[in-house]
Amino acid sequence: MGRRRSLALGLMTVLAAAGCGGSDTNSVDVVEIVVAAASELRPAFDEIGNLFTDETRVSVTFVYGSSGQLREQIINGAPFDMYASANSKFVEEVLESGRGQRESRRTFGYGNLALWTNGTVELPSSLGELVESRYQRIVIANPDFAPNGQAARDVLENADIWNVLSDRLIFADNIGDAYRIVKSGNADIGFIALSLVINEKSDYLKIPNDLHRPLDQTLVVMSSDAKGAVAQTFADFVMGETGREVLARYGYSLPDESTLQ
């Protein structure tokens, strides 16, 4: 209760400094922020968002999609309050377009990639086994927009089987769609973010990180106004003790806390 009160009071101070809410303590009840986030962050961010709302009474609405598609929406004027990408490159492109607050840019975690089936097809013991006939439909997120798809392509190219499997690949719009395609049985196997399958009953094969580019989860606050001040409070919550504990449970590797300051 003490921490909840402390965070709520801290948020009221932020709102007052930003010229929002005045002295009425109920003013925080009407505050809402909208966060655009990579699909792989859905399980962790949904939980973190609920915890943040419990402590502050600020509603957090998430818009999930591929990092690249969300980047395009933001560059074209979409009114998000925070952007969390699975690739720091896309955040940099948003900043270069003139949107976002550069000083708020932080990498708060590193995603991991897994090879996963829904349990109806045996999981391979190595990447080379993917060329076997039992794997006719292999789903990855679209590499043109999704960092997890780019990472999957890296893995297949490093294993020298990208061209061999090209006729079997299914490109999903984002990693959340890739997960749903495998879950439904419409693909035999898929390269899925570990965060989406870590709590599944069926097994997965974690892909070594040295086989693909980093999945550096990076956020940026979009404005310096009152909504931006609240979004920064949420960003701090993600990078704080509670957020880090949730991210770790969903399989994210965490940067040293000193790099988040």
Side-chain angles (χ1 to χ4, degrees):
M1 179 63 71
R3 185 176 184 279
R4 176 180 301 182
R5 180 174 175 81
S6 175
L7 185 56
L9 289 173
L11 181 58
M12 288 167 56
T13 301
V14 167
L15 291 171
C20 173
S23 60
D24 180 4
T25 59
N26 291 323
S27 63
V28 294
D29 291 336
V30 300
V31 174
E32 178 185 21
I33 58 172
V34 180
V35 175
S39 292
E40 73 159 83
L41 288 164
R42 181 188 292 268
F45 266 29
D46 279 355
E47 185 171 336
I48 293 171
N50 287 335
L51 292 168
F52 182 77
T53 299
D54 286 345
E55 294 201 16
T56 66
R57 302 198 303 272
V58 173
S59 175
V60 185
T61 296
F62 295 102
V63 176
Y64 294 108
S66 72
S67 297
Q69 290 172 334
L70 293 171
R71 168 205 58 192
E72 291 302 310
Q73 292 176 34
I74 292 169
I75 290 174
N76 287 311
F80 300 125
D81 301 307
M82 193 182 96
Y83 171 44
S85 170
N87 185 325
S88 60
K89 176 177 178 288
F90 291 148
V91 170
E92 190 61 31
E93 289 173 356
V94 164
L95 290 167
E96 289 174 355
S97 77
R99 302 211 60 201
Q101 303 298 303
R102 180 169 290 279
E103 66 276 10
S104 70
R105 179 190 183 279
R106 295 289 186 276
T107 294
F108 59 91
Y110 299 93
N112 292 288
L113 193 64
L115 195 56
W116 178 66
T117 76
N118 66 7
T120 60
V121 179
E122 184 179 355
L123 194 69
S125 59
S126 67
L127 291 168
E129 291 182 18
L130 287 175
V131 303
E132 295 180 2
S133 59
R134 56 182 161 146
Y135 305 114
Q136 288 298 309
R137 297 166 299 172
I138 303 169
V139 67
I140 70 172
N142 190 328
D144 290 338
F145 302 105
N148 280 276
Q150 295 170 346
R153 179 167 185 160
D154 291 343
V155 172
L156 293 173
E157 288 179 340
N158 281 325
D160 202 24
I161 54 177
W162 171 262
N163 291 330
V164 176
L165 298 178
S166 60
D167 292 339
R168 305 188 200 177
L169 294 177
I170 300 170
F171 294 133
D173 287 342
N174 56 63
I175 199 63
D177 286 337
Y179 163 80
R180 287 186 285 272
I181 289 170
V182 178
K183 182 80 169 179
S184 68
N186 289 317
D188 301 309
I189 197 166
F191 285 89
I192 312 297
L194 178 60
S195 58
L196 300 179
V197 301
I198 195 168
N199 292 320
E200 290 286 340
K201 294 180 180 179
S202 51
D203 291 334
Y204 57 82
L205 179 66
K206 186 174 179 294
I207 304 298
N209 288 331
D210 60 1
L211 294 181
H212 61 80
R213 68 196 69 192
L215 293 165
D216 41 359
Q217 314 293 307
T218 304
L219 62 78
V220 64
V221 173
M222 298 312 303
S223 72
S224 59
D225 60 9
K227 294 290 288 294
V230 178
Q232 183 62 63
T233 302
F234 177 67
D236 293 341
F237 190 77
V238 170
M239 296 181 290
E241 180 181 354
T242 299
R244 286 170 65 86
E245 187 276 327
V246 174
L247 289 165
R249 280 197 284 105
Y250 284 99
Y252 287 96
S253 303
L254 301 178
D256 185 274
E257 288 187 85
S258 64
T259 67
L260 298 176
Q261 304 304 316

